Amino acid sequence: TQYMLSYTDWLVNSKIYTGALVHRFGNNVFGISVVNAKPEAVKETTDLKPLGTGNMIDASDIAVGVAYARQMTDKVSWGGHARYVREDLFLVTSSSYQFDLGISAYTGYKSLRVAASARNVGGETTVEVRSFSPPIYFNFAVAAEIYGDVGDPTYLTVATETLFATDYGQRWHFGGELWL
């Protein structure tokens, strides 16, 4: 069983609260998660009252989720995360359900591993009268140690990932990690 709790004072006096709890049962892992973002309330202003109306504008975002993952073999694992997402902005509230799916596998060739995921898959949400879908992200990544092995005193891991977002297009990420 593992847990994580976090509190962050962020930009312009906003606050972020996160928490997660997972428990492993053999090859299965179950978890729950929560994320809450709370910006500082601000004074409402209008064209006719530029110094303020006396009202405060308050906002918050929250996502509550459940997760399940399974190690199918010593080389293949998969998992999913379903969550309820809600955004409150003054007098307007929107909510939706989303889920993420992912799989990872060791190829059997040296330390080469591959992973793929789809994130933010879900239904449309409506804000006032306009409906929209959250951006869906598709990832595919590969990683391997090109010098040494994990656990050696020194080793170098390199990775590359392609990310396609429905609201942005395709991007490539490259990285590495050197342990000394």
Side-chain angles (χ1 to χ4, degrees):
T1 300
Q2 295 187 7
Y3 68 93
M4 183 277 308
L5 299 171
S6 174
Y7 165 77
T8 305
D9 272 328
W10 197 235
L11 303 172
V12 294
N13 295 322
S14 61
K15 298 173 180 8
I16 302 172
Y17 307 89
T18 60
L21 172 69
V22 295
H23 184 75
R24 184 178 186 125
F25 297 95
N27 290 336
N28 303 294
V29 177
F30 295 94
I32 57 173
S33 64
V34 65
V35 177
N36 178 237
K38 185 82 173 129
E40 180 179 39
V42 295
K43 283 192 226 178
E44 178 186 38
T45 60
T46 66
D47 291 337
L48 299 176
K49 294 187 178 186
L51 298 177
T53 63
N55 293 330
M56 296 298 286
I57 296 177
D58 201 15
S60 69
D61 295 322
I62 190 164
V64 179
V66 294
Y68 172 76
R70 179 167 174 81
Q71 185 174 352
M72 301 299 289
T73 70
D74 62 333
K75 300 201 182 301
V76 177
S77 299
W78 69 270
H81 182 227
R83 69 188 161 281
Y84 169 75
V85 180
R86 178 183 167 122
E87 181 175 54
D88 293 312
L89 180 57
F90 196 40
L91 301 174
V92 179
T93 299
S94 64
S95 63
S96 69
Y97 293 94
Q98 300 172 354
F99 66 92
D100 307 332
L101 294 172
I103 187 167
S104 66
Y106 282 85
T107 65
Y109 177 74
K110 298 188 179 183
S111 65
L112 183 66
R113 52 212 178 264
V114 298
S117 69
R119 297 181 293 141
N120 288 347
V121 178
E124 288 189 345
T125 186
T126 301
V127 177
E128 291 186 341
V129 295
R130 185 172 175 219
S131 294
F132 68 94
S133 294
I136 300 173
Y137 295 91
F138 299 99
N139 301 65
F140 181 78
V142 296
E145 282 65 46
I146 62 170
Y147 176 79
D149 293 315
V150 173
D152 288 352
T154 303
Y155 65 93
L156 176 62
T157 304
V158 294
T160 186
E161 170 195 45
T162 181
L163 165 68
F164 177 79
T166 56
D167 67 339
Y168 185 79
Q170 188 168 12
R171 291 177 277 184
W172 288 87
H173 302 139
F174 302 93
E177 180 177 73
L178 175 64
W179 279 78
L180 299 173

